[in-house]
Amino acid sequence: MDQLFKSLPDIIKAAAQSRLGILALLVVALAILAYVFFARASAKVRVGIFVLLFAGVAGFGVAVLRSTDAGAPPKVADLSSEARTLLGAAAADSGGLVIYEKFGAGVDLHSNGVSLLTDKADHRAVATWEAALQELVDRGLLAARGERGEIYEITKKGYEAAGSAPPPDRP
């Protein structure tokens, strides 16, 4: 029990990192309080309290999940460093494009006139940059264009996440 009390601040700190963590901490705290206050109550009272607590926690959970900024772009800090670099290059590119060329046994990934795969023979680097590209696509910051998976375009959400406004419409 002493170990629990010693690690309690770390547990609370870890739970506070996400909305679901806070919700889980709330559920545990309410369960402990309900047990302490109603352990000796009749079965009907315990069931009634359980239903009320469950409804309250469920309502709070729905409110927390609905209050998420789902429309807001992800924070750039939440992205891998390669994904941040790639997003920045796409935002700086006049056409907002990322080109992922596959040729023979090689690949190239470039945007804004810069090749991001400096060592094309290093498969670990290739896999890392492919993962960064997929991360941006999965989060809706880049959109695949074409049928071969070689051309990607930054989205409005991508520009917002990169912290720059979309370029003005071209005449």
Side-chain angles (χ1 to χ4, degrees), residues 16-35:
Q17 298 300 315
S18 73
R19 290 182 175 98
L20 292 178
I22 293 170
L23 183 61
L25 195 59
L26 177 67
V27 168
V28 170
L30 279 175
I32 291 170
L33 286 174
Y35 178 77

Side-chain angles (χ1 to χ4, degrees), residues 89-98 112 152-154 159 165-171:
D93 186 73
S94 62
L97 297 176
V98 173
N112 197 29
Y152 297 86
E153 186 176 35
I154 190 168
Y159 279 113
D169 291 334
R170 296 183 199 114

Side-chain angles (χ1 to χ4, degrees), residues 49-63:
I49 296 299
F50 172 79
V51 169
L52 290 174
L53 286 174
F54 183 81
V57 169
F60 179 77
V62 168

